[in-house]
Amino acid sequence: MINEAEIRAAFPLLKRELHNTPIVYLDTAASSLQPQRVIDAMSHYYANSHANVHRGVYGTAEEATGLYEGARHAVGSLIGSKHPAQEIVFTKNTTESINLFVNSWGGTKLGPDDAVVISIMEHHANIVPWFVLQERIGFELRWIGVDGNGELMLDNLDELLTGAKVLSVTAMSNVLGTINPIAELAAAAHRHGAIIHVDGAQSVPHLPVDVDALDIDLMSFSSHKMLGPTGIGVLWARREILTAMPPFLTGGGMILDVRTDGFTPADGPSRFEAGTPPIAEAVGVAEAARYLKELGLDAVRDHEQALTAYALDRLFDAFGDELTVHGPRDVARRGGVISFTLGEVHAHDIAQILDSHAVCVRPGHHCAKPLMRHLGVPATARASFGVYNTTADADALVEGLRDAAKLFA
Amino acid sequence: MINEAEIRAAFPLLKRELHNTPIVYLDTAASSLQPQRVIDAMSHYYANSHANVHRGVYGTAEEATGLYEGARHAVGSLIGSKHPAQEIVFTKNTTESINLFVNSWGGTKLGPDDAVVISIMEHHANIVPWFVLQERIGFELRWIGVDGNGELMLDNLDELLTGAKVLSVTAMSNVLGTINPIAELAAAAHRHGAIIHVDGAQSVPHLPVDVDALDIDLMSFSSHKMLGPTGIGVLWARREILTAMPPFLTGGGMILDVRTDGFTPADGPSRFEAGTPPIAEAVGVAEAARYLKELGLDAVRDHEQALTAYALDRLFDAFGDELTVHGPRDVARRGGVISFTLGEVHAHDIAQILDSHAVCVRPGHHCAKPLMRHLGVPATARASFGVYNTTADADALVEGLRDAAKLFA
Amino acid sequence: MADLEELYREIILDHYRSPRNRGELASPPAHRTEGFNPLCGDEIVVTIDVLDGVLQDIKIAGQGCSISQSSASLMSGAVKGKSIPDVRSTIATFKTLMLSHESHLGDGDAEPEAVDLKSLGELAALQGVVKFPVRIKCATLGWNTLTQALDEAGA
Amino acid sequence: MADLEELYREIILDHYRSPRNRGELASPPAHRTEGFNPLCGDEIVVTIDVLDGVLQDIKIAGQGCSISQSSASLMSGAVKGKSIPDVRSTIATFKTLMLSHESHLGDGDAEPEAVDLKSLGELAALQGVVKFPVRIKCATLGWNTLTQALDEAGA
Ligand SMILES: Cc1ncc(COP(=O)(O)O)c(C=O)c1O
Ligand SMILES: Cc1ncc(COP(=O)(O)O)c(C=O)c1O
């Protein structure tokens, strides 16, 4: 169970006011807030242990190295990685993680006769890198469709996977909230001899995720969406897969040797971590992972699911047919991301009016333009919940929307 | 003039002790310490203004966007960029900046008949990415040599630049301390129709740098070496050059449009900033840039130059011929980076013994193996100064080294 | 919330609900240009008919928020039938109004100029946008598209 | 500084100054393997001569810090002339000694075992290294290289 008062007290930004009204933060799908202990962990690191990692022998360099390597364990333990020291690569965000995977793995394993399967509901981060690689290599890119309920259309999955080498799909849509059946997709991919890469940007912060139980091969996610700092992301990959991947970014820290005629890359995650890594950020995301683990992802999920159910009820009660919510109505099949349109009011105007009520939602295409085209809307307003949100926040959303509806009546 | 007491009080890590002795931090070339105001700027950001940038209309999203875009101005102003909003790209470190430049610019502008000129004293970050691209494209990689004084051998520069499309060279060696004649190199490159990219990782934090006065085309540098946080780096590029470069990493935030059959990239720096950028880190590096500007890079340079002169004198007084210092003796031609070997004592052992005196130096190849091979040493110990160091720190280094010399006598 | 009322003035809501000069002119002979705001997905299609140095006709299509659509609608009324120099000067005046805030975020080169609000007529209703920096891009979308259309049409 | 004296025991400095079994055996017939520590650049070249299940001879070349070089020198004395199972067991014992700290940083799977220091003889001098985690890689470099050499030689 989530203790609301305790949790809210842990997040300093919730004390913020906008237009003299306490902030109602409903944009966690874009970026979460950070608890004070995460902020403090980083400040403490800078003030006490900062040094560059890996090559120092003095006290603080050892501490920094221990904290940085230890962060792989904290993060790995959150997602059920059995060998975090060999499987957790730190990047700068989900987007870099996916670029790294696509270029390193895809760039060496894919040929012009191969196929890659993604879905229409992917974030641009899991679309554009494939386009760029496709231009170079020329494989076929196949799209899993989305049905009227906002769920993946899987009846032709076997067909799509025939001849495919990789399935890359999001675990939770950042627009629809849809929770995709990753275990099922992983089994299907493996049946066809393909590997599966999961975009976990929205799932890792909000659902219990166990990479072993799901039997997936790689997963990308971002610290800043899981109560951690900006500037760091994660690529988790099974050891066998990571070991076979060539470097992507290159420079210091990822080499065994450099001569004037070539270089030999290092083993393990450091092969993919060229240059000085985000050290303080690793300290921060480790603290965020510990915090999430203490809260328990089951409890986080329960809290957010109940809140989503409450919010959807209140919204439909208030606006009826004027309101269109994209994505599943069944809260067991969706996370706390509510994308909606309200009559003729444009998403941008909705967000502007809500801001005057200190309610923070995001308008736009949410970096998922293929999905928006499919939905036939140029933009939606999106309210998204974090563990620190309450039914009072959902009420504030409804009240703000009444104002918008009135202004544009 | 640098007020030593005031400056030292600004850096909380200097209150740290190692083995019950106040820390003597001499590893700024690897990573600098951060003043409290930089740490506070980031904590304050997280606690008050955090939101994802660029697409939000609510109060904190606007603040975060303003802070992030404003950081381009603060950083640009430090290096004399006239159009920071169009010229400053935020990356995760110098290494990513160089990878971005090499792949985006080099990947489209270089052909098998072209030549690229670098130097033997480059950091791996300015070597390995060229190797990787060379493998794909097949251009010629030419090396500027280093003379016995640790300076670039420029007599055959015209020959090296003939037919070259780019000269990529460090402004200050992270091993030798050598300050290279960038303005002269830029003029030579331009005379031959080549562009010049400068690795400013060691120069921007320690020397007055004006990209316009130097007449260079691109420069890469890291926040964590210039009193700023980890997790963010900078690529500065002249507008005309940046505008002509295609994207490197791709995903959200860097596109104009994405369809199921392709995408259109955005203009300006954001074309190169795929995914959620290091927002808090931009706030931090902006504060660091402002702090450096307030101190004045001339004053920083004077302080560090005087300290280097003092340290070299004390070291040679104490150890005479036992001591080998690599790089120029003339402190006007070098920065505060002192790489040395001491008799038969291995660099690793030197660093270990110094640690027991709380003196932090770095042993190893300093990510410059081609240079180490050229110098004929497997490793050096490196002491490097920051603005917060004093002659007392140099004295502590000498005392510690006496212990090392004694133990291994 | 005073600011919000300044943003959503009645005249703006009216132009959003009932946009003027809506549609597209046949092109050719008219010139057609699309404008696009990647951040929010707003689109404006401007078709113009220039003859004898005069903007004979203009039509606006596209979709987006109340600010982008009403601003384009207001613009169409303000420039239709005017000589090209007058059109360009109206654009410049309007952009100056918007820039009075944008200069804070821009390169810092441009000094904000005083704008003669009276000369803007109905357009002055858009001045409330200046207090909402992210919406300035919405308000100027149609205007930038028109500038591009004029440039492309060689007018 | 007590720790430092434990690290740099006299026996270690002695082996660093006067390394035993220094050089390279002619290969072939001996087997030659290079070990490398990318972080500090230390190198160890191990050449071994295995016959009738016994490590008949071993020589060490390379360069690096006092810990890596003395550890390899001590190792050469400890394994030379031993049967391969005995060599492997000496390696295992030594690695266990080193692991008693490394397990904190590693995957956390391995429980540190108690090590019979007496069985290590002179090698026990290296136990001070355990307090300096970054130096463990130095101390084990020669040992890992020997293991690799044995594996490659099929011994
Ligand atoms: C000259 C030089 N170039 C590049 C780098 C790489 O910087 P970073 O590790 O921040 O990417 C360094 C720092 O180690 C350096 O000293
Ligand atoms: C599903 C999904 N994938 C990828 C991303 C990209 O994450 P980042 O911007 O941290 O790289 C996001 C966040 O916007 C997302 O929601």
Side-chain angles (χ1 to χ4, degrees):
Chain A
M1 270 288 290
I2 294 297
N3 179 329
E4 285 187 359
E6 206 175 274
I7 296 240
R8 290 185 63 85
F11 289 82
L13 200 137
L14 292 176
K15 299 189 187 80
R16 187 54 212 269
E17 300 196 334
L18 294 175
H19 319 297
N20 303 316
T21 311
I23 196 167
V24 177
Y25 189 74
L26 296 179
D27 198 19
T28 294
S31 197
S32 70
L33 304 179
Q34 291 77 19
Q36 191 64 46
R37 60 186 265 188
V38 165
I39 303 171
D40 288 348
M42 292 187 285
S43 301
H44 187 267
Y45 164 77
Y46 281 121
N48 292 278
S49 306
H50 175 66
N52 213 328
V53 293
H54 293 318
R55 281 170 296 268
V57 297
Y58 54 86
T60 44
E62 251 187 63
E63 285 172 23
T65 304
L67 288 167
Y68 182 70
E69 294 300 325
R72 298 190 209 275
H73 294 260
V75 171
S77 141
L78 185 71
I79 59 164
S81 161
K82 292 279 194 305
H83 310 282
Q86 284 102 51
E87 298 186 333
I88 297 282
V89 178
F90 287 123
T91 61
K92 70 174 166 178
N93 51 28
T94 300
T95 303
E96 188 197 333
S97 297
I98 300 180
N99 275 269
L100 160 53
F101 163 60
V102 169
N103 283 280
S104 168
W105 187 91
T108 47
K109 300 275 193 276
L110 291 175
D113 299 331
D114 292 321
V116 171
V117 181
I118 63 177
S119 91
I120 283 281
M121 68 164 77
E122 297 311 310
H123 186 280
H124 293 163
N126 194 25
I127 299 175
V128 186
W130 294 112
F131 283 159
V132 176
L133 188 67
Q134 190 186 31
E135 189 134 315
R136 208 174 87 207
I137 293 185
F139 50 82
E140 187 187 346
L141 193 58
R142 299 179 187 159
W143 300 77
I144 303 177
V146 169
D147 67 17
N149 201 28
E151 305 200 46
L152 293 181
M153 301 203 300
L154 298 179
D155 12 297
N156 63 340
L157 184 62
D158 280 307
E159 201 181 302
L160 288 173
L161 283 172
T162 303
K165 276 219 169 134
V166 56
L167 167 61
S168 184
V169 70
T170 187
M172 191 202 289
S173 163
N174 66 315
V175 177
L176 305 166
T178 317
I179 297 172
N180 290 323
I182 294 301
E184 189 186 316
L185 290 164
H190 292 155
R191 221 165 38 233
H192 287 273
I195 64 163
I196 179 169
H197 164 264
V198 172
D199 176 349
Q202 296 294 342
S203 62
V204 171
H206 300 287
L207 304 175
V209 170
D210 184 317
V211 292
D212 252 21
L214 294 171
D215 194 22
I216 59 177
D217 300 303
L218 303 100
M219 183 167 69
S220 299
F221 52 105
S222 285
S223 158
H224 72 93
K225 294 190 202 273
M226 53 181 278
L227 316 183
T230 56
I232 188 165
V234 179
L235 176 67
W236 166 84
R238 279 198 295 112
R239 279 192 294 189
E240 311 84 87
I241 290 192
L242 204 65
T243 308
M245 281 166 55
F248 175 46
L249 300 182
T250 58
M254 52 67 66
I255 57 103
L256 271 187
D257 194 18
V258 177
R259 302 163 304 277
T260 49
D261 64 348
F263 74 104
T264 317
D267 296 325
S270 56
R271 177 157 76 253
F272 306 100
E273 298 177 345
T276 302
I279 311 171
E281 291 77 6
V283 170
V285 72
E287 188 65 15
R290 277 187 290 268
Y291 181 63
L292 277 173
K293 226 186 159 179
E294 282 168 35
L295 293 178
L297 262 305
D298 282 311
V300 169
R301 167 66 179 148
D302 286 349
H303 176 80
E304 293 178 8
Q305 184 172 333
L307 190 51
T308 307
Y310 176 86
L312 287 173
D313 284 350
R314 291 278 335 250
L315 284 166
F316 281 108
D317 283 354
F319 305 105
D321 287 351
E322 278 293 279
L323 183 79
T324 308
V325 170
H326 302 279
R329 267 309 295 272
D330 179 359
V331 293
R333 305 173 79 91
R334 61 138 64 235
V337 175
I338 303 180
S339 275
F340 62 93
T341 47
L342 186 65
E344 291 300 298
V345 197
H346 190 274
H348 220 134
D349 294 311
I350 289 180
Q352 191 77 62
I353 293 161
L354 288 177
D355 168 65
S356 73
H357 292 258
V359 175
C360 306
V361 305
R362 193 154 290 247
H365 54 64
H366 315 296
C367 294
K369 292 205 83 170
L371 176 63
M372 301 308 275
R373 282 215 174 77
H374 167 79
L375 296 175
V377 291
T380 68
R382 182 184 69 185
S384 55
F385 296 120
V387 64
Y388 32 69
N389 288 118
T390 66
T391 54
D393 295 334
D395 294 342
L397 171 65
V398 172
E399 289 318 306
L401 286 175
R402 280 193 212 282
D403 224 36
K406 207 158 56 194
L407 191 66
F408 279 85
Chain B
M1 269 287 293
I2 294 299
N3 178 329
E4 285 187 0
E6 206 175 276
I7 297 241
R8 290 184 64 83
F11 288 82
L13 201 138
L14 292 176
K15 298 187 188 82
R16 186 56 210 269
E17 300 197 333
L18 294 176
H19 319 296
N20 304 314
T21 313
I23 197 166
V24 177
Y25 190 74
L26 296 179
D27 199 19
T28 294
S31 197
S32 70
L33 304 179
Q34 291 76 20
Q36 191 64 47
R37 60 185 266 188
V38 166
I39 304 171
D40 289 346
M42 292 188 286
S43 302
H44 187 268
Y45 164 77
Y46 281 121
N48 292 278
S49 306
H50 174 66
N52 213 327
V53 293
H54 292 320
R55 280 171 297 269
V57 296
Y58 54 85
T60 45
E62 251 187 63
E63 285 172 25
T65 304
L67 288 166
Y68 183 69
E69 294 300 324
R72 300 191 207 274
H73 292 260
V75 170
S77 142
L78 185 71
I79 59 165
S81 161
K82 292 281 193 306
H83 309 283
Q86 285 102 52
E87 299 186 333
I88 298 282
V89 178
F90 287 124
T91 61
K92 70 173 168 181
N93 51 29
T94 300
T95 303
E96 188 198 333
S97 298
I98 301 180
N99 274 270
L100 160 54
F101 163 60
V102 169
N103 283 280
S104 169
W105 188 91
T108 46
K109 300 274 193 275
L110 291 174
D113 298 331
D114 292 320
V116 170
V117 181
I118 64 177
S119 92
I120 282 283
M121 67 165 77
E122 298 310 310
H123 187 280
H124 293 164
N126 194 23
I127 299 175
V128 186
W130 294 112
F131 283 159
V132 175
L133 187 68
Q134 190 185 32
E135 188 133 317
R136 209 175 86 206
I137 293 186
F139 51 82
E140 187 187 346
L141 192 59
R142 299 181 187 157
W143 300 77
I144 302 176
V146 169
D147 67 19
N149 202 28
E151 304 199 47
L152 293 180
M153 302 203 300
L154 298 179
D155 11 296
N156 62 339
L157 184 61
D158 280 306
E159 201 180 303
L160 287 174
L161 283 172
T162 303
K165 276 220 170 134
V166 56
L167 167 61
S168 184
V169 70
T170 187
M172 190 202 290
S173 163
N174 67 316
V175 177
L176 305 167
T178 318
I179 297 171
N180 291 323
I182 295 299
E184 188 185 317
L185 290 164
H190 292 156
R191 222 167 35 236
H192 288 272
I195 65 164
I196 179 168
H197 164 263
V198 172
D199 177 349
Q202 297 294 340
S203 62
V204 171
H206 301 287
L207 304 177
V209 170
D210 184 315
V211 293
D212 252 22
L214 293 170
D215 194 21
I216 59 179
D217 300 302
L218 304 99
M219 183 165 70
S220 300
F221 52 106
S222 286
S223 158
H224 71 94
K225 295 190 200 276
M226 54 181 278
L227 315 183
T230 56
I232 189 165
V234 180
L235 176 67
W236 166 84
R238 278 198 297 110
R239 279 191 294 188
E240 311 83 85
I241 291 192
L242 205 65
T243 307
M245 281 166 55
F248 175 45
L249 301 182
T250 57
M254 52 65 68
I255 57 103
L256 272 187
D257 194 18
V258 177
R259 301 164 304 278
T260 50
D261 64 348
F263 74 106
T264 317
D267 295 326
S270 55
R271 176 155 75 252
F272 306 101
E273 298 177 346
T276 303
I279 311 170
E281 291 76 6
V283 170
V285 72
E287 188 65 15
R290 278 187 289 268
Y291 181 63
L292 277 173
K293 227 185 159 179
E294 282 168 36
L295 293 177
L297 263 305
D298 282 312
V300 170
R301 167 65 178 147
D302 286 349
H303 176 80
E304 293 179 9
Q305 184 172 333
L307 190 51
T308 306
Y310 176 87
L312 286 173
D313 284 350
R314 289 280 334 250
L315 283 165
F316 281 108
D317 284 354
F319 306 106
D321 287 351
E322 278 293 279
L323 183 79
T324 308
V325 169
H326 302 279
R329 267 311 293 274
D330 179 359
V331 293
R333 306 173 77 91
R334 60 139 62 234
V337 176
I338 303 180
S339 276
F340 61 93
T341 49
L342 185 64
E344 291 301 297
V345 198
H346 191 273
H348 221 134
D349 294 311
I350 289 179
Q352 190 78 62
I353 294 161
L354 288 177
D355 168 65
S356 72
H357 292 257
V359 175
C360 306
V361 305
R362 193 156 289 247
H365 54 64
H366 315 296
C367 294
K369 292 203 84 169
L371 176 63
M372 301 308 276
R373 283 216 173 75
H374 167 80
L375 295 174
V377 290
T380 69
R382 181 184 70 184
S384 55
F385 297 119
V387 65
Y388 34 67
N389 289 119
T390 65
T391 53
D393 296 335
D395 294 342
L397 172 65
V398 171
E399 289 319 305
L401 285 175
R402 280 194 213 280
D403 224 36
K406 205 159 57 192
L407 191 69
F408 280 86
Chain C
M1 308 302 96
D3 283 354
L4 197 66
E5 277 158 31
E6 269 196 69
L7 180 65
Y8 293 117
R9 301 211 183 152
E10 197 42 57
I11 192 166
I12 288 178
L13 295 173
D14 177 50
H15 275 259
Y16 180 51
R17 290 194 197 97
S18 327
R20 321 297 198 260
N21 302 302
R22 186 76 186 169
E24 294 199 23
L25 299 170
S27 71
H31 186 83
R32 181 180 188 281
T33 301
E34 286 179 29
F36 194 59
N37 182 341
L39 295 187
C40 58
D42 285 6
E43 280 173 16
I44 297 279
V45 181
V46 170
T47 39
I48 53 170
D49 186 1
V50 180
L51 198 76
D52 301 334
V54 171
L55 182 59
Q56 306 287 352
D57 203 359
I58 177 169
K59 286 224 184 279
I60 309 289
Q63 42 78 16
C65 69
S66 62
I67 304 300
S68 71
Q69 302 303 307
S70 65
S71 180
S73 171
L74 282 156
M75 172 185 81
S76 69
V79 298
K80 188 169 156 176
K82 278 196 181 160
S83 73
I84 299 303
D86 280 2
V87 171
R88 294 233 183 231
S89 121
T90 303
I91 295 174
T93 310
F94 181 75
K95 296 267 296 196
T96 309
L97 173 68
M98 292 296 125
L99 263 174
S100 61
H101 181 280
E102 219 171 29
S103 59
H104 295 302
L105 290 173
D107 256 11
D109 306 344
E111 268 293 302
E113 289 166 39
V115 179
D116 179 5
L117 285 176
K118 284 221 194 80
S119 78
L120 285 170
E122 269 197 323
L123 285 173
L126 281 159
Q127 70 170 298
V129 174
V130 175
K131 297 209 179 125
F132 297 83
V134 272
R135 305 308 291 277
I136 291 174
K137 285 219 158 63
C138 310
T140 53
L141 177 59
W143 299 79
N144 291 336
T145 312
L146 174 58
T147 303
Q148 198 187 324
L150 291 172
D151 291 350
E152 288 170 359
Chain D
M1 310 303 96
D3 283 354
L4 198 67
E5 277 158 31
E6 268 196 69
L7 180 66
Y8 293 117
R9 300 210 186 154
E10 197 41 56
I11 191 165
I12 287 177
L13 294 173
D14 178 52
H15 275 260
Y16 180 51
R17 290 191 196 98
S18 328
R20 321 297 198 263
N21 301 302
R22 187 76 186 168
E24 293 199 23
L25 300 170
S27 72
H31 185 84
R32 181 179 188 281
T33 301
E34 285 179 29
F36 194 59
N37 181 342
L39 295 187
C40 58
D42 285 9
E43 279 173 16
I44 296 280
V45 181
V46 171
T47 38
I48 54 170
D49 185 359
V50 180
L51 198 75
D52 301 334
V54 170
L55 182 60
Q56 305 287 353
D57 204 358
I58 177 170
K59 286 224 184 277
I60 308 289
Q63 40 79 14
C65 69
S66 62
I67 305 301
S68 72
Q69 302 303 307
S70 65
S71 180
S73 171
L74 280 157
M75 172 185 82
S76 69
V79 298
K80 188 168 156 177
K82 277 198 182 160
S83 74
I84 299 304
D86 281 2
V87 172
R88 295 236 182 227
S89 119
T90 304
I91 296 174
T93 310
F94 181 75
K95 295 267 295 197
T96 309
L97 173 68
M98 291 297 126
L99 264 174
S100 60
H101 181 279
E102 218 172 28
S103 60
H104 294 301
L105 288 175
D107 257 12
D109 308 342
E111 269 293 301
E113 289 166 39
V115 178
D116 178 5
L117 285 176
K118 284 223 192 78
S119 78
L120 285 170
E122 269 197 325
L123 286 174
L126 283 159
Q127 69 171 298
V129 174
V130 175
K131 298 208 178 124
F132 297 84
V134 272
R135 304 308 292 276
I136 291 174
K137 284 221 158 64
C138 310
T140 52
L141 177 60
W143 299 79
N144 291 336
T145 313
L146 175 57
T147 302
Q148 197 188 327
L150 291 171
D151 291 351
E152 287 170 359

